[in-house]
Structure formats: C-alpha cells, structure tokens
Amino acid sequence: MQDLLNLFVKSIFIDNMVFAYFLGMCSYIAVSKTVKTSVGLGIAVTFVLFITVPVDFLLNKYVLSPGALSWLSPSLKDLDLSFLSFIMFIAVIASIVQLVEMIVEKFTPALYNSLGIFLPLIAVNCAILGGSLFMQEHELETLGEATVFGLGSGIGWFLAIIVIAAIRERIRYSNVPAPLRGVGITFILTGLLGIAFMSFMGIKL
Amino acid sequence: MSNRYIFTYATVMIVLVAALLSTAATVLKPYQEANAKAAKMVEILKSFGVDASRDQANELFNRYIVDEMAIDAQGKVVTLYQKGKKVKGEGVRPFDLEMKKELKKYDAGQAALFPLYKAVKDNQTFYVIPLYGKGLWGPIWGYIALQSDLKTVSGVTFGHEGETPGLGAEIAKPPFQVQFKNKTIWDGQGNFTPIDVVKGGVENLPKADQAHSVDGISGGTLTSKGVDAMLDKVLHIYKNYIVAQRKK
Amino acid sequence: MSQEKTTREPLFSAKNMELLRKPLNLDNPITVQVLGICSALAVTVKLEPAIVMSISVMMVTAFSNLIISLLRNTIPSRIRIIVQLVVIATLVILVDQLLKAFAYDVSKQLSVFVGLIITNCIIMGRLEAFAMGNKPWPSFMDGIGNGLGYGIILVIIAFLRELFGSGTVTFPVIGELRIIPQSFYAMGYENNGMMILPPMALITVGLIIWIQRSRNRELIEEKK
C-alpha cells in the first residue's frame, strides 16, 4: 500500500510528465492560453491515461512480453511479440479515445460539449503513449501499480497545464520582450517551473 | 466509399504491416540478441579489468572465463559450464540465467539458480558475481569481481536504466566504481560485511569500517541507497558459496 | 540560426528546395510551428543520441510522407487517422528494430523516446497538412526538410547542453571528445550541472526562440 502511495506521489511531482520528460508539450503549449480550456484538456488527459495505462499493462503482460502467451498454450512460451508493442499501444489508445468520446457524448452531453474538441487530439498526445511506454520500461508489476501510475501521471500533467495557464493569463499584463512573446516565454516559464518541481526530488519516499 | 472498401482496405493493410514487421523482427533478432549478449560479456569482463569492445567480447570471454557456474541458495554448484560447453548438471547455461527472474523466484521462496563466473587472468583467479536491484527510477545492475581470497574486491561495474543524468547516473562512471577496488567484504573479526555505500564521507568513519565502505553520490542519495541494498542482498545470497570456498 | 543552403544541384527545382529550406528557419517545426517538442528535449543531454534521434525522425517523416502521399487517393477518409498512425507506427518499429540491431548503445540511451516518435506531432502534422494533398516527391522533400529543421534545433540544444554540462561533445562513430581542457578545471572552472537537468532544455529552447525571432521580426507574435 505504501509502495502505491509512493508511486502516486512520484508520478505526480517527481516524474512529472511535463517537467521531467517533456511529454504532451504540443498541446501543453497550444492549449494553455486560458485556465478554462486547460482544465478541460487536463481532465481529459487524466481520464484517458487512467484507462489506457492499465489496459496496455494487461495487453503487455498477457500478450506482448516474451513468453506472455504461455497461458494460452505452453508451446507459445518462446514467442516474443514485444516488437509489436508500439503499434498495439497506439491502437489501444486510439480506440479507447474513440470509445470514451462516444460514451461521454451519450451519457453526459454537458461534459462532452466542454471536452469534445479535445478528445480526438488526445490520441496523438505524447503523454498518453508515454504513460504506456514508461509502464513497460519501468517494469511495473501489478495492475494496481499501473493504474496508480496512469492516474498519477495524468494528475501531474493536469497540474502542470493549469499552473502554466494561470501564469500565462497574468503575464499578458507584463511587458515581455517582443521576440519572447507567446511561445518563447512559455518555454522559459516551463523551465523555471521545472526547476521548482525538482525540489520535490529530495522527498524521502 | 462503401464499408466493404474500408474493411478490405484495413484488412490488406494489417496483413501487409504484420508480414513486414514480423519479417523485420525475425531477420534482425539474431543481431539484437548478439548485441545484448556481447554487451553482457563486456560488462563481465570489465569487472575484473579487461576492456573489450563488443566485437571482441565473445573471444575474450572464452579466453578468460574458465568456469560458468549456477549455484543454488545453499551455495551448492548445480550447473557447470566450461568454454560454453556443459560439464556438469542440467538446465540452461548459467550465462543465460537472468538475475532479475532468479531474484524474483528467490523472493517468492521458490528454488532459484544464481550465475557465478570464475575467471583466470595473468594467473590470478577472480570470481564474478552479477548484481541486480532497484535504483531510484528503475532497475540497476552490475557485476562485482572478487579476488581469489573471496574477500577483496577487484572491481565493479554498474549499469542503470533511467537514473538522473549527472546524479544517480554517475554510478555507471569510473569515479564511483574505482572506489570499490581493494575494499573487503569480510571485516577483521570474520564477519560478512557487504560493501556499504555511505553518505558524508568514508574518511569520517571509524577505521574498521573504512575497509568496506565507499562514498555515495552527492545528489544521488536514493540511487546510492539502491546500490547499497543491491550489494547487501545479492552478496548475502552468495554467502554460503563464499564461506564454503574460503574454508577449502 | 539562418544558415540556409543556397546552392544545390539543379536536379532540385526552386520550389522543391523551398520545401527543404523553409523548415530550417522561418517555418521551423520546433520554434515556429511548436510541434514535436515532446520526444525531442529528453534526448538532448548528449549530442550523439540527439543526432541519431534527428536522423530517425527525419527518416520516419520523409518515408511516412512518401507512403501516405502515394496512397492519398485510396485512403478511405473515415479511417484516415488510423491508416496514418499505422504507417507511422510501422516505420517507427522498423527504426527501433534497426537501432537495436546496429546501434545498440544509442538505442539503450534513447529507450522509450524512439517509440514516442509515433506521437511526434510533426509527423502527423505534415501528413495531414502536406502529404494528403501533394505528389510523392514534394512530400518526400517536405518530410526531409521538416526532419532537418527538427534536427537542427535538437543538435544545437544538445551541443550547448553537453558542452556546458559535461565539457564534452559526443559524436556518433567518433565518440566522446573533451572540449573543455583539463587546465580549465585546474583553474577552477566547473561544469554547469544545471545544463544536464531537464528544465535547462526548455530554457535553451526559449532562448533560441528569442534569438531567432529578434532576427526575423515577422515571426513575433501580436500583442493581444
């Protein structure tokens, strides 16, 4: 239980998708102009990560990793399908995003209206595929760990985009050097925020 | 465009892609495996001071490694290979054993086999023990070479998957690793003391402890702790074998 | 920043050359289009992985552009995105497998970031914006150009980070070269440890944008 909590805190603050791995930067820069839209995208990313990481975990564990298919028949224990993981992960992500979009549209039209435009974008958000690839790379062991990691990474991303959006709303009133306006200053701010987030590294877990 | 067209299109595409990828994977697999194997040999050789490139790894490995053993948790030699050929016992070649899997079995209380390499270089004997553990972000591993007295460390190598560059990742670099040379894993009283990675400077420790301690990495405390725990755990597994050999 | 190649074999028409040249500066995928930053910055601690990453991305962009452009009239529009993803993912898997077989050490360093080329927005972006509506050859050139534009920024960042962070520059094949001489260290020079940490990659991009936009004032964003 404590391990799960550690993993959760670590994936939000220390292993932050944006500040430590620069994942999901495209939409992070493009959408972070106002807090309102950022919240929408943040929720969508968190939600999709929360679902795709555990699903890809099961896929990896029971289909893709070396010898994973031995539950089907012992003769398959030498089969190694891990070369297919990229394509399988992205396929799972694309279909889950599609599925989530349809479900949300059907049951909560209000949420769909606010999230709607962001959902299709998410399939190609690096943070989502990154979540699954890190899950595989870090060799997480249980479904619980994968779920917690997915949720934590999503919340970390959510946090990052809200923080930067809030800053960008304020910075409009400041006198930023003209060539730095917009994208430039956002990069530098993200860097500075990253430095701030690095202070979490010392946390004893 | 009709649904039929879409389905046909998708099916043809999937079949093509699957064929292409599996061909590529099958063709390239021998190269990839050879790379991984050679990289492992390079690390083993490096632990007792033989610098090899991946191309020479196989040749030098066969030249220097005289015995490849697999021992069980009681320290009994179960399998013995020499020059890549089986001499005694059965099961897989000790070189192909994966520490990660064996440690997992060991933790689960199942029977596990641990690889051990005996090398002879310039008439000196070395025992190389593979290491595997957890760093801050992911797995760390390495090899520790003991001299023929099974007490003094001849050298170590460490590798890691994703430790922080400049901090934890320094364990894979010489300044950290040279410290291990000539440290001992037994203290003067005959107690087993796997090497400690300490914080705050080895020179501040009591004299007796200095012989089996090395400095951790500043800023890489958690990775250093991982190295410490890894050495402690793995060397204790090999303790039975080491004790038995030292009695001889 | 504006090192543009002005001469080239006549085989390449002026229009095609423009496709190659524009992404290097005025239409740079990273600093102007702000695409594909995701998988880029994490591999810039050393120069060697950055160069290998750039070449990999260039290959994937060029060939996925080419393939999609060849198929553009046959792709059913309803499964367009999936077809594109499959093409990209296939190419990326091939690149990954080749790296593992022939550039083992670099592939270890790049780890998951090779896989993340799939979601590199540059590639999807170019497929949608260019390859779906243009002939194969211009699409291929566009892919190479955008790959180069991406690579140039990556190489600049990696060069600066490695030089100031570790005092070395590592090239593929040649290996690690120590640039800052030992005598500097003896005099009290120290590597800037900040440079190898993630945040400095972002700040470096910010500074590159600053320099580029002060030289090309038309890129400056309007004040809202």
Side-chain angles (χ1 to χ4, degrees):
Chain A
M1 192 58 218
Q2 211 204 338
D3 282 349
L4 287 183
L5 196 65
N6 285 350
L7 185 69
F8 188 61
V9 173
K10 203 169 95 177
S11 52
I12 295 181
F13 294 107
I14 307 173
D15 264 348
N16 189 288
M17 280 283 181
V18 173
F19 299 129
Y21 294 113
F22 321 106
L23 295 184
M25 287 294 281
C26 310
S27 27
Y28 170 86
I29 302 260
V31 180
S32 64
K33 284 188 183 111
T34 63
V35 173
K36 198 158 167 266
T37 49
S38 309
V39 172
L41 185 67
I43 292 176
V45 166
T46 312
F47 189 57
V48 172
L49 263 173
F50 177 57
I51 298 175
T52 55
V53 176
V55 171
D56 280 342
F57 172 81
L58 293 176
L59 187 72
N60 186 45
K61 187 161 181 188
Y62 293 107
V63 182
L64 296 173
S65 60
L69 279 170
S70 54
W71 58 273
L72 265 181
S73 107
S75 59
L76 293 174
K77 83 174 169 18
D78 288 329
L79 195 65
D80 179 3
L81 288 179
S82 50
F83 69 93
L84 285 177
S85 22
F86 295 166
I87 208 164
M88 293 300 280
F89 286 174
I90 196 78
V92 165
I93 289 167
S95 13
I96 287 182
V97 168
Q98 193 83 58
L99 210 66
V100 167
E101 195 179 348
M102 282 171 357
I103 293 173
V104 171
E105 186 180 13
K106 182 130 174 79
F107 293 104
T108 48
L111 184 63
Y112 179 76
N113 286 336
S114 55
L115 284 188
I117 40 164
F118 299 121
L119 279 169
L121 268 179
I122 284 178
V124 287
N125 185 320
C126 341
I128 311 286
L129 183 62
S132 291
L133 290 178
F134 276 124
M135 172 274 297
Q136 192 187 34
E137 176 96 2
H138 290 179
E139 298 171 347
L140 298 184
E141 314 235 316
T142 62
L143 186 61
E145 278 183 10
T147 316
V148 164
F149 176 73
L151 183 64
S153 303
I155 294 178
W157 200 89
F158 182 49
L159 205 66
I161 194 167
I162 295 203
V163 169
I164 198 76
I167 297 180
R168 283 182 81 174
E169 276 191 3
R170 293 280 152 189
I171 214 154
R172 229 173 284 154
Y173 306 110
S174 319
N175 199 3
V176 178
L180 266 181
R181 233 178 267 149
V183 179
I185 194 73
T186 311
F187 271 109
I188 293 183
L189 282 172
T190 310
L192 293 174
L193 278 172
I195 295 177
F197 263 65
M198 282 184 67
S199 56
F200 288 112
M201 264 199 191
I203 296 184
K204 208 168 175 186
L205 290 175
Chain B
M1 300 213 182
S2 67
N3 280 340
R4 206 166 138 198
Y5 178 79
I6 295 180
F7 272 112
T8 326
Y9 197 93
T11 318
V12 170
M13 191 177 68
I14 287 167
V15 170
L16 279 180
V17 164
L20 179 71
L21 288 181
S22 20
T23 323
T26 325
V27 171
L28 295 173
K29 190 132 199 176
Y31 293 96
Q32 297 170 357
E33 278 173 356
N35 277 337
K37 222 172 129 176
K40 192 170 169 182
M41 288 177 174
V42 168
E43 279 190 59
I44 294 175
L45 290 168
K46 206 174 127 205
S47 69
F48 57 95
V50 176
D51 275 320
S53 73
R54 262 189 284 121
D55 302 328
Q56 320 158 309
N58 200 27
E59 190 204 326
L60 292 175
F61 189 83
N62 284 334
R63 185 187 309 163
Y64 289 120
I65 303 290
V66 291
D67 287 345
E68 255 179 75
M69 293 167 268
I71 63 165
D72 60 17
Q74 283 71 47
K76 214 171 90 241
V77 178
V78 178
T79 324
L80 177 67
Y81 269 63
Q82 284 173 338
K83 309 266 174 225
K85 302 265 184 319
K86 183 154 65 185
V87 177
K88 187 191 126 190
E90 36 206 275
V92 294
R93 184 179 166 188
F95 181 80
D96 294 327
L97 287 173
E98 284 178 49
M99 268 316 256
K100 182 176 120 194
K101 285 192 188 147
E102 300 305 317
L103 281 171
K104 209 185 252 176
K105 280 194 219 160
Y106 177 81
D107 289 339
Q110 297 165 341
L113 291 175
F114 298 96
L116 176 71
Y117 308 92
K118 190 170 162 187
V120 174
K121 185 187 123 198
D122 305 333
N123 290 325
Q124 272 186 300
T125 308
F126 300 95
Y127 293 86
V128 181
I129 296 173
L131 305 165
Y132 185 90
K134 262 197 158 140
L136 172 59
W137 305 129
I140 51 176
W141 56 86
Y143 292 90
I144 180 164
L146 301 174
Q147 291 178 6
S148 53
D149 62 358
L150 281 161
K151 175 185 176 188
T152 320
V153 178
S154 161
V156 289
T157 64
F158 292 115
H160 65 93
E161 198 161 271
E163 301 306 303
T164 324
L167 301 172
E170 295 293 307
I171 60 165
K173 298 209 172 138
F176 178 68
Q177 297 177 0
V178 289
Q179 298 184 75
F180 286 80
K181 202 171 163 68
N182 295 330
K183 298 280 173 182
T184 58
I185 57 167
W186 294 86
D187 69 9
Q189 278 77 49
N191 297 315
F192 190 61
T193 52
I195 296 174
D196 290 319
V197 183
V198 297
K199 212 176 164 176
V202 167
E203 68 275 11
N204 298 331
L205 292 172
K207 201 89 192 149
D209 289 337
Q210 290 190 6
H212 57 83
S213 303
V214 297
D215 283 323
I217 287 156
S218 51
T221 312
L222 291 169
T223 310
S224 308
K225 273 192 186 145
V227 173
D228 185 76
M230 167 170 84
L231 285 164
D232 197 57
K233 177 170 180 188
V234 175
L235 287 177
H236 268 105
I237 294 175
Y238 285 86
K239 187 181 167 189
N240 285 330
Y241 176 83
I242 295 175
V243 171
Q245 284 295 312
R246 274 167 66 84
K247 278 193 185 138
K248 275 185 190 169
Chain C
M1 272 314 303
S2 53
Q3 297 158 336
E4 292 161 24
K5 289 174 199 149
T6 41
T7 50
R8 197 67 190 231
E9 307 93 297
L11 219 160
F12 298 94
S13 70
K15 201 164 146 249
N16 284 343
M17 278 315 297
E18 187 66 18
L19 290 175
L20 205 58
R21 190 149 33 94
K22 235 177 141 192
L24 290 187
N25 188 12
L26 289 183
D27 202 18
N28 188 288
I30 294 190
T31 59
V32 181
Q33 303 175 48
V34 203
L35 292 177
I37 308 142
C38 330
S39 62
L41 300 182
V43 300
T44 51
V45 174
K46 289 213 177 297
L47 191 59
E48 185 187 16
I51 292 176
V52 174
M53 183 76 179
S54 311
I55 296 173
S56 310
V57 169
M58 195 166 80
M59 286 297 134
V60 176
T61 335
F63 284 100
S64 59
N65 258 3
L66 180 69
I67 294 171
I68 291 294
S69 173
L70 284 170
L71 296 176
R72 70 187 187 282
N73 294 325
T74 67
I75 300 176
S77 62
R78 272 165 63 192
I79 57 167
R80 193 181 74 235
I81 301 283
I82 296 282
V83 172
Q84 291 171 354
L85 275 177
V86 168
V87 169
I88 298 172
T90 310
L91 287 167
V92 171
I93 293 177
L94 286 178
V95 166
D96 182 50
Q97 297 281 324
L98 286 170
L99 284 180
K100 273 189 191 145
F102 302 112
Y104 184 73
D105 300 316
V106 182
S107 91
K108 281 260 159 222
Q109 288 174 38
L110 290 176
S111 73
V112 299
F113 293 97
V114 180
L116 286 173
I117 297 178
I118 297 176
T119 47
N120 190 321
C121 334
I122 297 177
I123 301 173
M124 277 299 258
R126 289 331 287 172
L127 291 184
E128 276 288 292
F130 201 90
M132 287 300 284
N134 282 284
K135 291 215 172 79
W137 177 243
S139 304
F140 186 75
M141 293 289 274
D142 181 74
I144 296 268
N146 276 282
L148 274 179
Y150 167 90
I152 250 186
I153 300 292
L154 229 67
V155 166
I156 292 175
I157 301 170
F159 176 77
L160 293 173
R161 286 181 77 189
E162 190 179 354
L163 180 65
F164 294 113
S166 321
T168 55
V169 173
T170 315
F171 290 99
V173 187
I174 305 172
E176 192 175 274
L177 304 175
R178 180 148 285 283
I179 301 292
I180 312 271
Q182 279 304 329
S183 55
F184 274 45
Y185 292 99
M187 275 153 52
Y189 174 85
E190 289 219 26
N191 286 329
N192 185 352
M194 277 293 281
M195 287 305 279
I196 45 182
L197 297 174
M200 280 314 283
L202 291 163
I203 295 181
T204 316
V205 180
L207 297 179
I208 290 175
I209 292 179
W210 193 355
I211 295 169
Q212 189 193 15
R213 293 197 179 175
S214 11
R215 294 176 61 129
N216 303 283
R217 308 220 52 111
E218 69 269 29
L219 292 176
I220 291 175
E221 286 174 39
E222 288 294 313
K223 190 158 188 169
K224 272 161 255 154

